Amino acid sequence: MNLFNSAVGKNITFVHPAYFVIRGFSGLPNIKYYYVFLFFVYIVSVLGNTAVMAVIYLDHNLRTPKYIVVFNLAFVDLFGSSALVPKLLDIFLFNHPHIPYNDCLTYFFFCYTCLSMNALNLVALSYDRLIAIIFPLHYHVKVTHRSMLSLIASFWVFIITVILIAVGLLTRLSFCKSVIINSYFCDHGQIYRLACNDYTPSFVISVLLPALIIWFPLIFIMFSYIYITFALSKVAKAQERLKAFKTCTAHLSLVAIYFLPVLITFTLMEKIHPNARIINLSLTSVFPPMLNPIIYVLQTQEIKQSVKRLLKLRVQTKTTPRKITLHSFYASL
């Protein structure tokens, strides 16, 4: 089979490879233990996010605008982990590094979409906390089911549009040299740098993407908490300030888990070994989906109470039939 085939455009022929070869984690000793660790992280992510989604769906007390965002966050974490980790394990653990051209672009689309939506979900939660603390009396007017669903839907449309543009630009590139991607998945930057024609539009997108999915969300979150801190500094009682900040601890934990590793990796990118950079970025991709549900279950009072109610209800439904059976038995004597 020929390595390259041609995709004919309107006025120009673009040379697309039959496949790419993903070569991340090369030369690392005992790397299979890391893949086993990733598998464990993936299982915990699936179980944790499925549990959070189930609790929010089953408990009508959690049908609030805030938990619409939490449900969407759990869905994105579950979907993103399932898009990234199984294929990653197939590539490296089972030694299937060759990935067809179209499959690679699809892999890139789903991974980037979910990673981007993670950041925008944190923006939505930040907006929720901002309104709840700054305008508590108007919270139920400003933050409604309809407004939050509209916000989440607009985020989805925006991110899908941007990533589709990035994918479309990649299809306008010709690959006539190497097809080796030095990453753990079909990374956008690694793909367009392999092109042998002008990749300026893809380079521009690669500059815009971090701004859209890292810097703008982080700046909004930082300014929202600066505003919250300034507003709470005017509150006379320290107990009231502490109570207000406690409602933000889960969200702040999610922000730290998502953004800090990314910022550290990008800051030290030129100073660390490529393999160390790949491992750091892979951990950044798989760790937040595992930790997000754990943080929300442990730090959010409403979810803890909801889990207790659901478990209590389950125990009651199990014991009630037994009581009826015993009562019927004694009545028949």
Side-chain angles (χ1 to χ4, degrees), residues 5 10 15 73 103 109 140 143 169 173 201 234 247-248 253 265 272 309:
N5 54 58
K10 187 175 181 181
V15 181
L73 178 65
D103 291 355
F109 170 79
H140 294 291
V143 183
L169 291 174
L173 298 178
K234 297 182 178 181
T247 65
C248 303
S253 300
T265 301
I272 60 178
R309 281 196 301 268

Side-chain angles (χ1 to χ4, degrees), residues 275-313:
N275 284 332
R277 179 181 63 83
I278 291 172
I279 289 178
N280 288 342
L281 288 175
S282 65
L283 289 174
T284 302
S285 302
V286 300
F287 249 54
M290 181 189 74
L291 295 176
N292 289 351
I294 296 173
I295 288 171
Y296 254 96
V297 170
L298 294 179
Q299 294 192 8
T300 307
Q301 194 65 28
E302 296 96 332
I303 290 188
K304 285 194 289 187
Q305 291 174 352
S306 177
V307 170
K308 289 178 182 178
R309 281 196 301 268
L310 291 173
L311 291 175
K312 185 177 180 181
L313 182 63

Side-chain angles (χ1 to χ4, degrees), residues 85-104:
V85 178
K87 186 60 180 176
L88 185 154
L89 294 176
D90 179 57
I91 291 170
F92 296 107
L93 185 60
F94 298 104
N95 196 25
H96 297 145
H98 298 78
I99 179 168
Y101 173 80
N102 289 330
D103 291 355
C104 191

Side-chain angles (χ1 to χ4, degrees), residues 13 60 107 136 149 160 165 175 188 193 202 205 227 230 292:
T13 299
H60 292 275
Y107 192 24
L149 284 171
I160 288 174
I165 291 172
F175 300 87
H188 178 259
R193 289 189 182 94
S202 289
I205 285 290
Y227 192 19
F230 177 74
N292 289 351

Side-chain angles (χ1 to χ4, degrees), residues 156-174:
W156 274 108
V157 171
F158 172 72
I159 284 301
I160 288 174
T161 302
V162 171
I163 304 301
L164 280 177
I165 291 172
V167 172
L169 291 174
L170 289 177
T171 63
R172 311 295 288 180
L173 298 178
S174 291

Side-chain angles (χ1 to χ4, degrees), residues 77-89:
D77 285 340
L78 177 63
F79 188 62
S81 296
S82 298
L84 174 65
V85 178
K87 186 60 180 176
L88 185 154
L89 294 176

